[in-house]
Amino acid sequence: MRASAEPKPNTEAKPIVKTGADLLVEALISQKVETIFGYPGGAVLPIYDALYRAKGSFDHVLPRHEQGGIHAAEGYARVSRKPGVVIGTSGPGATNLITGIADAMMDSLPLVVFTGQVAKSVIGTDAFQESDVMGITTPITKHNYQVQELEDLPRIVNEAFHIATTGRPGPVVVDIPKDISSTVYEKDVQSDFHLPGYQPTIKPNPLQVNKLREALVIAKKPVVLTGAGILHAGGSDALMTFVENYDLPVTSTLLGLGAFPGHHHRFLGMAGMHGTYAANMALYECDLLINIGARFDDRLTGNLKHFAPNARIAHIDIDPAEIGKNVTTEIPIVSDAKKAIEKLNDLEPATLDHKEWVDKLESNKQNYPLWHNDSEDVILPQYLLRKVHEFTDGEAVVTTDVGQHQMWTAQYYTFNRPDRWVTSGGLGTMGFGFPAAIGAQIAEKDSTVVAIVGDGGFQMTMQEMSLLQERGLPVKVIIVNNQALGMVRQWQEKFYDERYSESIIDTQPNFVKMAEAYDLNGYKFESVQEIDEKLADVLNDDKPAVIDCRVVQQENVYPMIAPGKGSHEMIGVMKP
């Protein structure tokens, strides 16, 4: 009997076996993600297993609390202009990210946030660590997804990055059920996408640009208001050309600082509740207000009845929903800020007849400068911030929490370059400044990064000192320590008859020992002499440090537009 033939070896390639988590990791690699801020948990264990297998592909940053992680991602996004990528587990992991998502939404920061979710079969049953991520995040995201089919995952990831980074930037959440990330998949999947309903207007309407130029030619009192939209668009150089072509005075929102050099002779300072007299009076008296990339929020405008009452309003913004939302706009230009300014610069510039106006504004700058009390002994916070600027040559990346120290920094740390200023504007988030500095330092490895925080806000996220210890990040933390919730105390003094209800914090940790517990250098400065003699050395050291600066508790932020008042009704303009 004839022997049977030898079985032929199977030469067909075996299909590549992947889990949903592997598809996610591949999508992140294709998006050129370098850094991930994440905290593992049950619902994202398949994702972390895939990250383990892809070791070397990403720098994974493990915060000590999810809120610290997402604020770090915001700081990273703000200075790098790349999307911050965040991973959190289901339930409390996801809900701990909510404050950061809302903060990024208000301040137009690009984040892509991946949250784990319980398996699809138990969604809606109050399963262990289940939360309604879609319901919670719908009002505070640019868009959100819950992945229902494994083959949709790569496409959804690519869409999420596209949406987060184009048009008006913002956070996008992708909620991934655990069975999606753990399921084995053996087919090729498509990652291409087409979003016909999402087509942001990037280029300006030429007719509207011409209208703005015509308005400029006849204006006697023009002023430019710069917002964060210029920074997101990378339009600072184009802005400088525009301003110098027409010799225009410039003011800024809080988040727009650095878009135009603070030392330029036409810069009037920050406008708004704690802005300069020159800036606010320019907005009040102007006959043409050119808003580029700002959203006319209440802290800028004060009482809308008194805001730029005699001005024609031109508003350049990539988000059409912002134009006319708060202030009636005569010349709307929906566009990327940089492209709109460049189109203006392409037109033949005109010589404006506005010498009397710019002379008056210059006189206001000289006659009503920012002021503060003087002391040769106790530390005034304004003096401290001036010294921080001096000792860093104005070149540091500066992050802050929210409150008095934030306003003093905006006033006294002059920002001359874009992407050096990281603060929480719209949401006003205490606890933001320190972790944001960590993200900024990861993005800007060779820059000096200074976190200027209050003693209240620092205690909300100070566990992230562990990251300075772990990574040797040379972040300098300056605690403007007035042993109070400073801005709350100031409002209680001025508007609540000095009833200081729960705003004075007499009991505090020893911040120096706290720093030392994390193997960091800690310092406590209580006199002007110590600031003058020691602060420069600490700031210029290549090691992380926590500096507890004890400042005068009763010091207030001036000038100020009181609630309900107009920009021309400032208090504290002149030194008593």
Side-chain angles (χ1 to χ4, degrees), residues 112-325:
V112 180
V113 180
F114 297 97
T115 55
Q117 185 55 273
V118 299
K120 288 195 300 178
S121 60
V122 293
I123 289 177
T125 68
D126 293 331
F128 177 67
Q129 291 194 333
E130 180 187 0
S131 61
D132 182 5
V133 171
M134 298 297 286
I136 294 169
T137 63
T138 293
I140 56 170
T141 53
K142 192 173 177 185
H143 195 59
N144 61 6
Y145 299 85
Q146 187 175 81
V147 183
Q148 297 296 323
E149 302 295 337
L150 179 60
E151 55 266 30
D152 292 334
L153 182 56
R155 172 187 58 78
I156 287 174
V157 172
N158 289 341
E159 284 183 10
F161 277 88
H162 176 71
I163 293 170
T165 57
T166 56
R168 180 179 180 174
V172 177
V173 166
V174 181
D175 194 41
I176 306 177
K178 186 174 182 179
D179 52 334
I180 294 286
S181 59
S182 60
T183 297
V184 172
Y185 193 71
E186 298 183 355
K187 299 178 183 177
D188 290 331
V189 293
Q190 296 297 316
S191 58
D192 296 339
F193 65 90
H194 177 52
L195 299 173
Y198 175 71
Q199 301 294 329
T201 300
I202 303 299
K203 296 180 180 179
N205 183 316
L207 294 177
Q208 295 299 97
V209 174
N210 286 330
K211 282 184 183 179
L212 177 51
R213 184 191 178 281
E214 291 167 3
L216 261 174
V217 170
I218 62 175
K220 300 296 183 183
K221 299 178 180 180
V223 66
V224 174
L225 172 67
T226 62
I230 297 173
L231 297 165
H232 296 315
S236 293
D237 291 341
L239 174 66
M240 174 66 79
T241 300
F242 173 60
V243 168
E244 295 194 332
N245 279 347
Y246 294 93
D247 192 28
L248 296 170
V250 180
T251 183
S252 174
T253 66
L254 173 70
L255 291 179
L257 291 172
F260 189 78
H263 59 46
H264 195 280
H265 69 285
R266 285 291 176 248
F267 188 62
L268 304 173
M270 180 181 72
M273 179 172 280
H274 294 291
T276 66
Y277 177 84
N280 283 328
M281 289 306 295
L283 293 179
Y284 181 70
E285 296 178 342
C286 67
D287 63 6
L288 176 64
L289 171 53
I290 305 170
N291 175 349
I292 310 177
R295 57 186 181 86
F296 284 135
D297 71 290
D298 59 299
R299 288 299 172 102
L300 170 76
T301 64
N303 188 326
L304 283 170
K305 183 174 68 174
H306 300 297
F307 182 74
N310 302 309
R312 303 173 70 187
I313 306 293
H315 190 172
I316 298 170
D317 204 295
I318 200 164
D319 185 354
E322 290 296 345
I323 297 179
K325 184 177 80 174

Side-chain angles (χ1 to χ4, degrees), residues 368-385:
Y368 304 101
L370 294 170
W371 63 271
H372 60 84
N373 295 312
D374 300 308
S375 174
E376 295 181 358
D377 185 22
V378 295
I379 302 173
L380 275 301
Q382 303 94 326
Y383 179 83
L384 169 63
L385 271 305

Side-chain angles (χ1 to χ4, degrees), residues 385 388 398-401 405 409 413 433 450-454 476 478 480:
L385 271 305
V388 174
V398 177
T399 72
T400 76
D401 267 356
H405 68 277
T409 306
Y413 195 101
V450 181
I452 298 170
V453 298
K476 308 301 186 294
I478 296 178
V480 184

